[in-house]
Amino acid sequence: MTDLQWTVFCRFKDDFKAKVGEWSARVPNLRSLQQQISQADKNPEYPFETPVVYNKSLDDIRPEDDIKLIVIGDNPGKEEQLARNNRYLVGQAGRLAEGYFRRNPELGVDFRRNVIILNKTPVHTAKTAQLRALAKAGGSEVSALLEESQIWCAQQTARLHTQLCRAVRQENQIEDDGVRPELWLVGYSELKKNGIFERYRDTLRKSYENDCGLSAEWESVFVFQHFSMNRFTIDLMDYIKKNDCGTASLQERIHSLGQIHKKEIFG
């Protein structure tokens, strides 16, 4: 990262850590509600340790790391909320993502070194769909927490992405010099109308708007199927089979698919 990118990243990380602490203290009975919802949904038992999860992997990022992607998952699952982890995408989906980039070195991405991993909300549930039941069981207090966390995460993620991109141009004073990260939204079914993350979707897009419309950084936002159950890879392979991609590189094919899903979600 450039010096300016590092400053931007550290400011975001510190703000996010403080916000997670604030949200964690707001609903003292959140852990018991999460356990109640999981049992009602007949999930296998597991220890409930972190109701609202900060991603400790952010603390491992160093100034010398080149951030090439900001990947946005849904919310922390069973593995992510364990105290020994408190890291995003470390379960099955994360292992699939890590393996995909390892098998495709032409993309130039080390999933554990070149990627900032965030979520649409840091509130834990075993399955993303259980956020609906959690909001219902927790009433206005939990509903407000889920809404506020989505709004904050969308606004601050768009700001982080925009500032990381612009820091390269500002510091180098050259349009195409340095690493400017892309933003990948993975897992888009709940971003649709009336989905759990509809508020995140609308806030994110609005956060890229300026007096002239959508900012240039919006062009490097892409939408994909989730890594879980290998859906990202299956979707990409289906797209390649059904379309004449000619001599397009893997990265160009990924971008094309990401733009198609982006149009489906954002119009």
Side-chain angles (χ1 to χ4, degrees), residues 119-133:
N119 276 322
K120 301 173 184 81
T121 176
V123 177
H124 160 69
T125 49
K127 300 175 183 177
T128 297
Q130 292 172 351
L131 286 171
R132 292 186 189 276

Side-chain angles (χ1 to χ4, degrees), residues 11 19 27 37 47 63 72 95 102 106 109 114 119 122 132-133 144 152 154 181 193 197-198 239 245 267:
R11 184 185 304 121
K19 205 67 183 175
V27 186
I37 296 305
I72 313 299
R95 290 189 289 271
R102 188 186 305 114
E106 65 268 36
V109 174
N114 304 130
N119 276 322
R132 292 186 189 276
W152 191 95
K193 185 174 177 58
F197 299 124
E198 181 180 13
Y239 168 75
C245 297

Side-chain angles (χ1 to χ4, degrees), residues 1-219:
M1 282 186 275
T2 67
D3 290 343
L4 282 176
Q5 283 182 318
W6 177 246
T7 298
V8 166
F9 168 73
C10 288
R11 184 185 304 121
F12 168 84
K13 179 183 65 171
D14 292 344
D15 289 348
F16 182 43
K17 186 180 294 185
K19 205 67 183 175
V20 167
E22 175 187 323
W23 289 328
S24 298
R26 184 179 301 178
V27 186
N29 66 330
L30 185 58
R31 188 196 311 265
S32 62
L33 288 170
Q34 290 165 328
Q35 190 169 12
Q36 171 187 323
I37 296 305
S38 180
Q39 291 172 344
D41 208 22
K42 297 183 180 179
N43 291 131
E45 290 189 10
Y46 66 95
F48 289 79
E49 297 180 347
T50 318
V52 185
V53 185
Y54 168 76
N55 183 12
K56 290 182 180 177
S57 293
L58 298 177
D59 297 333
D60 297 333
I61 294 175
R62 296 290 176 259
E64 58 269 21
D65 293 332
D66 288 330
I67 300 303
K68 299 180 180 181
L69 293 178
I70 301 173
V71 170
I72 313 299
D74 289 333
N75 70 311
K78 291 186 288 187
E79 294 290 328
E80 286 76 15
Q81 63 86 40
L82 293 175
R84 69 171 184 268
N85 291 329
N86 278 190
R87 297 171 188 275
Y88 293 174
L89 283 176
V90 294
Q92 181 252 11
R95 290 189 289 271
L96 287 170
E98 189 173 355
Y100 182 82
F101 286 105
R102 188 186 305 114
R103 292 191 304 274
N104 294 280
E106 65 268 36
L107 295 174
V109 174
D110 182 326
F111 193 68
R112 299 303 177 188
R113 293 199 61 185
N114 304 130
V115 180
I116 293 173
I117 303 173
L118 301 171
N119 276 322
K120 301 173 184 81
T121 176
V123 177
H124 160 69
T125 49
K127 300 175 183 177
T128 297
Q130 292 172 351
L131 286 171
R132 292 186 189 276
L134 184 65
K136 184 176 180 180
S140 60
E141 195 173 37
V142 173
S143 295
L145 171 61
L146 289 171
E147 181 174 17
E148 181 184 322
S149 65
Q150 286 187 52
I151 291 171
W152 191 95
C153 287
Q155 290 175 337
Q156 297 306 314
T157 295
R159 182 182 182 190
L160 171 67
H161 178 224
T162 298
Q163 291 185 342
L164 287 177
C165 291
R166 293 179 181 177
V168 176
R169 296 197 296 271
Q170 182 177 346
E171 189 155 330
N172 291 285
Q173 297 182 344
I174 300 174
E175 178 68 21
D176 294 315
D177 188 52
V179 176
R180 288 182 291 160
E182 299 171 3
L183 189 143
W184 288 17
L185 288 164
V186 296
Y188 64 79
S189 62
E190 292 294 348
L191 287 169
K192 298 177 181 178
K193 185 174 177 58
N194 298 320
I196 292 170
F197 299 124
E198 181 180 13
R199 178 55 63 90
Y200 183 97
R201 179 200 69 186
D202 293 345
T203 304
L204 185 76
R205 188 182 189 281
K206 186 174 180 61
S207 297
Y208 281 93
E209 292 178 354
N210 54 35
D211 293 338
C212 300
L214 289 167
S215 67
E217 290 75 24
W218 178 248
E219 292 302 312

